[in-house]
Amino acid sequence: MESNSDIKTTPKGFQCTLCNVNLPNLPSLEQHVKGRKHQTLSTVRHSRKTQEEHSVFVSGIKPEVSQTELAEYFQKFGSVADVIMDKDKGLYAIVQFSEKESIQATLSCVEHQMKGLKLRIKPREKKEFKLIPKKSDSDKQVLDRLKPQLCQLVSVDAQMQFVVERFQLGENEKKTRGLLVQLLQEVFVEFFPDSQIVPFGSSVNTFGVHSCDLDLFLDLEKTKMFQAHAKFTTEPEKGEGMSDDGHSEDSILSDIDLSTASPAEVLDLVSMILKRCVPSVHKVNVVSSARLPVVKFHHRELNLQGDITLNNRLAVRNTRFLQLCSGIEDRLRPLVYTIRYWAKQKQLAGNPSGAGPLLNNYALTLLIIFYLQNCEPPVLSTVDQLKDMACEEEECVIEGWNCTFPTQPIAVPISKNTQSLSTLLSGFFSFYAKFDFAGSVISVREGRTFPITDFLSKNKDEEATKEPSRIHHHSPKLGPLNLLDPFELSHNVAGNLNDRTQRCFQKECQEAEKYCRSLQYQRKSTKGKSWGLVRLFTPHGEVPHTKVEKLTISVPFKSALLPEALRNQLHAAGDGFRLLWFQKVCAAVESVLKNVLRCHVTPPTNFSTDSEDWAVKAAEEMETTSSSLSTSLNDSYDSVESQNEASPAGTAVVGAKRPLSPDIDTSVSPQGKKQRLTRRGKPKLPAWTCLQRHMVWAGRRKVRRELIKDPDMRPEGSCVQVESRVTAHIIEKEPELKEPLEFKVEPQVVGETESTKAVLHLEPTSDNAGLFNNFFHFLDAFLPKMVETLLQNETGAV
Ligand code: UTP
């Protein structure tokens, strides 16, 4: 083996110290050493070593010095292979020679002078090559250490408190953050007189974790006033370059008029100040594409990521709101820390670098607050209730949004809810496991949901603005999860989520809900096994799913993608919108099977998706009765508790059909907080029988590519037409199957308390050639996409 120094023998086999992996035996070790990871790392290490041996470290340069100038200067000591400069500040460089001997020649020169600068030259430090552990590896180490600590505690409540202690920002961390804020304040005030740097977000909202971002708002309001004032009051007797109050005008401000400058221009200046004037700050980047443009930076010594935004007064205010909630309710922090860690482990929250389709921590915290507002009795008041508890001096309006709430927690009465942390935690999972995300818009402001139909029609927005708090701007961007900011009511804080994240969030809540019913969650193991939170924190993908229902295809309700006319129609249908939408989906599925994939489709006898019978039949199936039962969330815990004995410790059956038998749902209905729905079943229609005579799924991509390439063949029009042509082409070229594939499709709408979706249950009835599985996998991706396209072209007419 080429580099035996990397391999160590351990009691369990071998360890490769280069790649940081354990190998159980010699054959696996040999395979590993020949493998890509080990080979790549060996090569990288070799080239790093060569680079180290051939280069010198140069300091004392200035940002104006270019790479070429440096290369030219060092050429006299030997051929220069490369010059690497410190991009951020241009203060040092690494000069690499082609020959090792040139190093000695460079170092023996007593003085290096270039463009009037005195350069300092040092040999390169010899660093041991080490694989930097991936973030997931260090996360794993954190969890590995956490597990035994959690297991030895006496209750889930104690575990939750421990999670807070383990992750919260320590006093020293808060102090260093404070010092950095102070330093930035001192620097920025030099350039922007009277400006203020205000921290917000996790560093100060009481939910911060070690190494969380430092979110900062650069408040330039007073600077603008200063600038306006200085413009009009320059008096001859004043010292040159000085304003009234003695501030120096010889600053960046003389180059920029804040009253007219764009945020991008101001942020460019901010970034320049950070790069040039703040020690240890590097990796400075302006991200103009974010909802709120931001300058990102990293503080090397504190290993801290910082974000500076402008015009972000609302964020400072909502940070105060989160602080207030923590002050009012002691149980909030353990819940937030536990659920945030759970969500991180399950890859549901925490978008690296701010952008992405996952929940952000702010949205997740609001989901927790909303749940607590809906417990019985409520654990937290609604934002509207808090507004009424505030006194006159606490009134606060920002950008037209009412942001009033009491400053002190003492102004808010203590909750009558006395549930334990562990019960509240399992309640959170039950609450969102059954939540109708597709049909509702969550309002933390009012502590209830609005039906999504209120937001589907532009005209209806005006109707919906009877309440003063909602008379505002544009309507929120709708998506698979709609969660209104408590103050900026036109902002969906979960608007970045994609369908997959929303589905995963709900699926993980369902899994967690099942787990919380088990004894493994509730009781400390006497045998030292994992229990309580430990299993909840097992990273995504590590808990085996017991059974996956394979033959169902889901078409989710995506209100945001529907055309205006259809949205209006659904809006008009009110509570019946699901049925109407389901009917559209069924018609589209039938059309894709028949017209695009050329299946022979036989609808159930006397039954067609076009007919009136359809709605009648589906409505009979559904028979939904809304009633204001006073059943509380507590009742659901009772039922959960009573099932404990019977319920297995296993995880949820993902995608499993729920029984159609009567069941009472205890979640919140979209119409109001206390409304409950009793269901006889979910609309499920008799099955279509389908016959497929060709392998229309095989080689589609290739045919499509050829069709699109060939100008004579290229089908004009929509992707539905393209796909129909692809099928026609396959049918023309490929022989018919000896025995046609026969299968049943049984459509069903699932909604009410889960996200609305149409589920198609597929079952082969004749498949002697064993082709159904391949066809099903193709349909699983193809059908929902085509249905979506057809619905997007819907005019709204039934
Ligand atoms: P984050 O989602 O980053 O939350 O938003 P966080 O609590 O700071 O968590 P981490 O640790 O940095 O991930 C930061 C702040 O930005 C504001 C809120 O004030 C939030 O506390 N914010 C975020 C909004 O006002 N609206 C949003 O949609 C998102």
Side-chain angles (χ1 to χ4, degrees):
M1 225 158 286
E2 23 110 4
S3 184
N4 282 335
S5 59
D6 291 329
I7 311 300
K8 288 204 161 56
T9 317
T10 66
K12 287 186 181 167
F14 302 92
Q15 190 195 23
C16 170
T17 50
L18 175 64
C19 309
N20 199 13
V21 288
N22 295 315
L23 291 316
N25 48 41
L26 204 57
S28 55
L29 173 67
E30 277 167 359
Q31 213 173 359
H32 166 77
V33 172
K34 277 188 239 143
R36 208 167 61 172
K37 182 174 179 181
H38 188 84
Q39 289 298 323
T40 314
L41 283 176
S42 304
T43 316
V44 173
R45 178 174 55 188
H46 181 255
S47 63
R48 290 256 177 96
K49 194 161 183 267
T50 316
Q51 198 209 36
E52 256 172 29
E53 288 168 355
H54 285 75
S55 53
V56 288
F57 181 87
V58 183
S59 57
I61 52 177
K62 288 240 159 105
E64 304 82 73
V65 176
S66 73
Q67 242 168 337
T68 329
E69 285 167 330
L70 276 175
E72 271 168 18
Y73 172 79
F74 284 97
Q75 207 71 38
K76 60 182 165 203
F77 303 104
S79 153
V80 174
D82 201 1
V83 176
I84 302 153
M85 298 201 60
D86 141 46
K87 282 198 196 71
D88 282 342
K89 299 206 172 72
L91 299 179
Y92 67 86
I94 288 162
V95 176
Q96 191 185 336
F97 293 100
S98 307
E99 308 296 333
K100 269 187 195 175
E101 293 69 43
S102 313
I103 307 247
Q104 212 35 57
T106 314
L107 293 172
S108 46
C109 174
V110 187
E111 198 171 74
H112 290 272
Q113 288 264 8
M114 185 193 143
K115 288 184 88 184
L117 299 169
K118 201 167 160 206
L119 304 182
R120 289 182 295 278
I121 317 290
K122 273 199 316 185
R124 294 286 307 280
E125 272 171 35
K126 304 273 177 294
K127 283 189 193 143
E128 198 195 331
F129 181 80
K130 256 200 190 142
L131 181 63
I132 298 166
K134 274 195 262 158
K135 196 165 177 308
S136 55
D137 290 343
S138 60
D139 286 349
K140 191 173 175 302
Q141 283 165 8
V142 170
L143 182 64
D144 285 346
R145 275 201 298 273
L146 183 66
K147 277 179 185 173
Q149 291 167 322
L150 290 176
C151 282
Q152 67 184 22
L153 294 165
V154 291
S155 64
V156 171
D157 286 34
Q159 290 185 332
M160 290 173 72
Q161 297 289 6
F162 184 80
V163 171
V164 178
E165 277 156 39
R166 169 66 187 76
F167 292 108
Q168 72 185 346
L169 281 173
E171 282 315 308
N172 281 342
E173 284 170 291
K174 286 192 209 158
K175 249 186 232 158
T176 31
R177 279 164 193 259
L179 287 173
L180 180 58
V181 172
Q182 208 178 321
L183 170 68
L184 291 169
Q185 172 73 67
E186 280 163 19
V187 171
F188 276 98
V189 90
E190 285 294 321
F191 293 94
F192 299 113
D194 292 344
S195 64
Q196 233 196 320
I197 289 271
V198 189
F200 66 95
S202 50
S203 293
V204 283
N205 66 12
T206 71
F207 304 118
V209 295
H210 305 304
S211 79
C212 66
D213 294 357
L214 176 62
D215 293 308
L216 299 169
F217 160 50
L218 174 62
D219 186 352
L220 294 174
E221 233 15 75
K222 288 197 180 137
T223 316
K224 279 184 199 161
M225 278 156 54
F226 165 81
Q227 198 179 40
H229 184 68
K231 237 200 260 175
F232 297 109
T233 58
T234 322
E235 288 160 31
E237 65 266 30
K238 245 186 327 187
E240 211 177 286
M242 296 296 279
S243 74
D244 269 357
D245 37 11
H247 285 302
S248 164
E249 279 174 37
D250 182 20
S251 74
I252 224 153
L253 270 193
S254 42
D255 300 333
I256 189 165
D257 181 354
L258 288 177
S259 60
T260 55
S262 69
E265 285 169 324
V266 182
L267 288 177
D268 277 341
L269 284 182
V270 169
S271 111
M272 201 169 80
I273 297 168
L274 283 172
K275 278 184 195 164
R276 301 253 166 111
C277 309
V278 189
S280 258
V281 161
H282 70 147
K283 293 185 184 163
V284 182
N285 268 318
V286 179
V287 184
S288 328
S289 56
R291 187 177 80 93
L292 289 175
V294 59
V295 186
K296 295 190 159 288
F297 66 89
H298 185 258
H299 193 281
R300 203 184 269 119
E301 255 134 57
L302 302 179
N303 190 17
L304 201 65
Q305 178 63 43
D307 283 357
I308 299 187
T309 40
L310 311 168
N311 308 330
N312 214 354
R313 224 169 280 280
L314 278 164
V316 175
R317 190 65 187 162
N318 64 39
T319 297
R320 299 269 169 283
F321 165 69
L322 296 185
Q323 286 168 341
L324 175 75
C325 292
S326 280
I328 297 170
E329 179 48 64
D330 283 347
R331 288 168 292 180
L332 182 60
R333 290 185 74 227
L335 274 168
V336 170
Y337 276 88
T338 306
I339 293 170
R340 278 190 180 191
Y341 191 60
W342 163 81
K344 183 171 167 234
Q345 295 298 95
K346 304 290 176 187
Q347 290 168 23
L348 301 169
N351 290 302
S353 78
L358 304 187
L359 277 165
N360 59 51
N361 276 323
Y362 177 60
L364 186 59
T365 311
L366 291 180
L367 282 176
I368 300 168
I369 292 178
F370 179 71
Y371 155 67
L372 293 175
Q373 291 171 335
N374 282 275
C375 286
E376 192 62 42
V379 177
L380 282 175
S381 309
T382 69
V383 178
D384 270 346
Q385 287 163 343
L386 290 174
K387 182 186 80 184
D388 295 338
M389 293 171 202
C391 56
E392 229 173 276
E393 301 82 72
E394 287 163 335
E395 235 168 68
C396 172
V397 175
I398 297 172
E399 292 169 25
W401 302 108
N402 192 321
C403 303
T404 307
F405 49 79
T407 320
Q408 297 302 329
I410 193 114
V412 184
I414 291 170
S415 163
K416 293 199 174 69
N417 184 309
T418 55
Q419 284 171 325
S420 68
L421 283 172
S422 90
T423 308
L424 286 173
L425 180 65
S426 65
F428 170 86
F429 296 128
S430 317
F431 186 76
Y432 288 112
K434 302 186 200 79
F435 199 84
D436 178 12
F437 285 109
S440 342
V441 175
I442 298 172
S443 164
V444 179
R445 172 111 219 156
E446 297 184 34
R448 67 181 184 109
T449 54
F450 295 108
I452 189 116
T453 44
D454 274 10
F455 295 79
L456 289 183
S457 163
K458 274 193 191 134
N459 309 334
K460 291 290 169 177
D461 275 353
E462 282 132 41
E463 263 177 46
T465 52
K466 280 173 214 133
E467 298 133 77
S469 57
R470 294 174 70 196
I471 308 177
H472 260 298
H473 316 285
H474 54 90
S475 48
K477 173 187 166 202
L478 296 179
L481 200 161
N482 301 300
L483 170 60
L484 299 183
D485 186 88
F487 307 105
E488 189 184 2
L489 299 176
S490 62
H491 173 44
N492 175 10
V493 300
N496 61 317
L497 256 69
N498 62 18
D499 212 44
R500 188 171 175 276
T501 320
Q502 181 273 322
R503 267 200 328 262
C504 289
F505 176 73
Q506 191 151 39
K507 210 157 37 167
E508 291 295 350
C509 284
Q510 288 161 357
E511 299 261 351
E513 180 201 20
K514 284 251 161 87
Y515 170 64
C516 288
R517 286 184 199 160
S518 69
L519 284 179
Q520 201 188 350
Y521 170 69
Q522 292 160 1
R523 280 202 210 142
K524 180 174 177 168
S525 161
T526 46
K527 294 179 186 150
K529 288 195 180 149
S530 294
W531 72 282
L533 295 186
V534 175
R535 173 82 177 272
L536 277 180
F537 292 161
T538 306
H540 174 77
E542 282 186 22
V543 179
H545 294 266
T546 42
K547 182 184 161 196
V548 178
E549 173 113 325
K550 285 194 195 108
L551 304 181
T552 57
I553 296 176
S554 293
V555 181
F557 174 61
K558 295 185 185 170
S559 55
L561 296 183
L562 298 175
E564 183 72 27
L566 184 53
R567 281 156 68 119
N568 286 344
Q569 228 194 7
L570 293 172
H571 171 79
D575 275 355
F577 86 94
R578 284 182 184 83
L579 271 184
L580 179 60
W581 172 77
F582 181 44
Q583 184 177 5
K584 303 270 181 197
V585 171
C586 288
V589 169
E590 197 176 321
S591 168
V592 175
L593 290 171
K594 259 199 220 164
N595 306 326
V596 182
L597 295 177
R598 303 275 196 91
C599 282
H600 183 268
V601 180
T602 318
T605 339
N606 300 333
F607 207 78
S608 136
T609 47
D610 302 334
S611 76
E612 284 292 310
D613 302 350
W614 194 94
V616 175
K617 170 79 184 151
E620 276 171 6
E621 286 274 353
M622 193 172 205
E623 199 169 296
T624 314
T625 23
S626 300
S627 61
S628 299
L629 298 181
S630 57
T631 325
S632 68
L633 279 171
N634 279 346
D635 298 338
S636 73
Y637 300 133
D638 291 341
S639 68
V640 163
E641 235 87 272
S642 64
Q643 288 172 40
N644 280 345
E645 245 65 315
S647 81
T651 51
V653 177
V654 177
K657 271 190 227 172
R658 293 187 168 208
L660 292 168
S661 54
D663 57 336
I664 292 181
D665 193 325
T666 49
S667 76
V668 177
S669 89
Q671 276 68 33
K673 184 173 160 187
K674 296 283 161 54
Q675 225 169 37
R676 299 287 185 270
L677 295 167
T678 313
R679 290 178 292 146
R680 250 192 10 159
K682 295 154 193 166
K684 190 169 170 185
L685 296 175
W688 291 298
T689 311
C690 308
L691 214 65
Q692 181 53 268
R693 294 183 194 280
H694 287 88
M695 283 170 56
V696 292
W697 60 92
R700 279 191 86 85
R701 196 176 298 166
K702 192 164 162 231
V703 175
R704 192 183 301 120
R705 243 195 336 253
E706 276 163 13
L707 276 180
I708 291 170
K709 253 198 299 191
D710 186 344
D712 296 335
M713 307 255 287
R714 186 184 299 153
E716 301 299 329
S718 72
C719 80
V720 176
Q721 283 164 313
V722 174
E723 293 304 332
S724 308
R725 283 289 310 272
V726 173
T727 310
H729 196 81
I730 295 174
I731 291 178
E732 213 176 280
K733 296 263 146 81
E734 301 298 324
E736 213 176 276
L737 290 168
K738 280 198 191 103
E739 280 186 61
L741 175 62
E742 197 180 286
F743 59 99
K744 269 191 337 188
V745 179
E746 192 186 44
Q748 179 189 17
V749 66
V750 184
E752 298 297 358
T753 53
E754 289 123 307
S755 289
T756 298
K757 61 185 172 191
V759 181
L760 306 166
H761 303 282
L762 275 78
E763 193 188 320
T765 41
S766 168
D767 175 30
N768 290 336
L771 295 171
F772 184 73
N773 260 356
N774 287 347
F775 185 40
F776 173 79
H777 283 302
F778 156 73
L779 281 181
D780 193 22
F782 185 79
L783 207 50
K785 239 189 279 163
M786 294 308 286
V787 168
E788 212 168 83
T789 313
L790 284 174
L791 290 184
Q792 276 166 10
N793 298 331
E794 259 284 343
T795 55
V798 185

